[in-house]
Amino acid sequence: MDTLEQARAEIDAVDAQLAALFERRMAAVLQVAEYKRTHGLPIYDPAREAVVLEKAAARIRQPALRPYYRDHVQHMMDMAKQYESQLLGQNRAAYQGVEGAFAHIALRALFPHAEAVSYPTWDEVFNAVAKGDAAHGVVPFENSHAGDVSAVLDLCYSHPELWVVDVYDLPISQNLLVLPGTQLSQIRSVYSHQQAIAQSETFLKQFRLPATAMPNTAMAAKFVAESGDPSKAAIASTETAQLYGLEVLVPRINTDGDNTTRFIVLSREKPTAGNRFSLLFTVDNKPGKLAQVIQIIGASGFNMESIKSRPMPHVPFEYYFYVELVGDPTGDETAALLRQLDRTCRTVRLLGVYTK
């Protein structure tokens, strides 16, 4: 037996042991889930996870392997949380649109074992999480080319009972989808989500193709497939083309080659651990008030990666603000910052805690 075969045989032997240990570990996870069910405890325990990860790294003798083993243990804990969610009947994750939509693709990446539940609107996704019909909601928050999804930010503002607990960046490739055998010269109308249309504006202008906005890209693809009309085309993902029996006539028509959409994950459970946190705040409409808030953030040593403003609902010409800051949300500096902002702002609310 040569060296390669010996190494592969050793890996197979270790994998067999790991499989048995995995089953043993998940049996213990089942006991934890039952205890949490009985005592009404949340699935996610950030303090416990931090302890487990610290112990895991300390067990590895080779320093170069420690970060890899830490990631391995983190992955096992993420799977355990999904398993617990399923056992406790909390494995439903909500998204807007139909199967194949980018939100559905993001949801599957974030929660591969969850029951994906579709809702017609973003508002209904928020309501489903708020009412407990879904443990999580996955919605688009901003796009690297088309900017923020203002309606979703407004829903975050109007749902103080919900938290942003994770973010996920999904590279977006927009493609022109058609019925099999369709030629570009046959197309007279294009359908997609408004964001996808904006991302593909250069291509659409080049071929003088009028576009009609629809609730999401997958619904546009489904509409084209069901129409049976070769003069209609959709802008959507390659996964969507396969799902609805369409062909990719022109791939990657989005203007920005590095096009990425950031999705946020909503939950009723308040997060604590992460290296980023976001705030929503309002200030009196007086000179220098917003500048004062920004100065406080800077003086406190926090890097502000994003700031957005939006009109306040039902209050003409008044605005609320969103900021994303780099830092430990559990640190003393963060607590001091929030106390200062509470004295300076009209209102201030912690919206999310997550790791990027």
Side-chain angles (χ1 to χ4, degrees), residues 51-275:
V51 171
V52 171
L53 289 172
E54 186 176 348
K55 287 196 298 185
R59 291 190 179 107
I60 300 301
R61 296 178 182 177
Q62 298 182 44
L65 292 177
R66 285 173 188 161
Y68 296 98
Y69 186 66
R70 182 185 177 92
D71 288 347
H72 169 67
V73 174
Q74 179 68 71
H75 179 63
M76 284 199 301
M77 289 194 294
D78 290 342
M79 286 192 298
K81 284 182 288 191
Q82 294 185 42
Y83 184 46
E84 286 186 53
S85 296
Q86 182 177 358
L87 294 171
L88 299 178
Q90 301 176 16
N91 65 326
R92 292 163 61 91
Y95 71 100
Q96 183 270 335
V98 297
E99 187 177 359
F102 286 114
H104 180 261
I105 295 170
L107 185 152
R108 279 289 166 229
L110 286 158
F111 304 103
H113 305 293
E115 177 189 355
V117 185
S118 169
Y119 290 88
T121 65
W122 291 323
D123 186 50
E124 288 170 276
V125 171
F126 275 76
N127 288 335
V129 179
K131 293 187 297 183
D133 293 337
H136 297 96
V138 178
V139 291
F141 191 67
E142 60 183 326
N143 177 266
S144 59
H145 176 74
D148 62 281
V149 185
S150 301
V152 168
L153 184 55
D154 288 344
L155 286 166
C156 288
Y157 180 78
S158 61
H159 281 271
E161 75 279 16
L162 297 182
W163 305 87
V164 176
V165 298
D166 201 358
V167 296
Y168 179 75
D169 291 347
L170 177 68
I172 302 295
S173 174
Q174 303 290 8
N175 308 273
L176 191 69
L177 310 186
V178 296
L179 294 170
T182 300
Q183 303 298 313
L184 186 59
S185 59
Q186 295 177 263
I187 300 172
R188 297 292 179 266
S189 55
V190 177
Y191 301 84
S192 193
H193 186 268
Q194 185 58 51
Q195 288 270 3
I197 293 171
Q199 293 159 17
S200 309
E201 184 178 13
T202 301
F203 174 86
L204 294 172
K205 285 183 177 179
Q206 179 183 352
F207 292 97
R208 298 180 181 178
L209 293 172
T212 301
M214 296 193 73
N216 63 57
T217 55
M219 290 181 69
K222 184 179 181 183
F223 169 74
V224 170
E226 292 177 349
S227 74
D229 185 349
S231 71
K232 292 180 169 60
I235 300 173
S237 67
T238 55
E239 292 92 341
T240 307
Q242 297 166 5
L243 189 63
Y244 294 108
L246 298 176
E247 284 185 352
V248 177
L249 181 62
V250 186
R252 298 180 296 279
I253 65 172
N254 39 286
T255 305
D256 186 352
D258 297 323
N259 187 18
T260 300
T261 293
R262 174 162 294 165
F263 289 84
I264 57 174
V265 178
L266 306 166
S267 174
R268 295 182 307 282
E269 293 188 17
K270 181 180 178 180
T272 55
N275 61 14

Side-chain angles (χ1 to χ4, degrees), residues 15-30:
D15 284 346
Q17 296 177 50
L18 287 175
L21 290 172
F22 177 77
E23 290 186 328
R24 181 178 165 187
R25 191 182 199 280
M26 296 306 274
V29 167
L30 174 59

Side-chain angles (χ1 to χ4, degrees), residues 32 36 39-46 84 88 90 269-270:
V32 171
K36 289 178 178 178
H39 294 82
L41 297 175
I43 290 172
Y44 179 46
D45 185 348
E84 286 186 53
L88 299 178
Q90 301 176 16
E269 293 188 17
K270 181 180 178 180

Side-chain angles (χ1 to χ4, degrees), residues 272-286:
T272 55
N275 61 14
R276 301 288 194 284
F277 61 97
S278 56
L279 305 173
L280 293 172
F281 67 90
T282 61
V283 294
D284 293 332
N285 192 8
K286 296 178 180 179

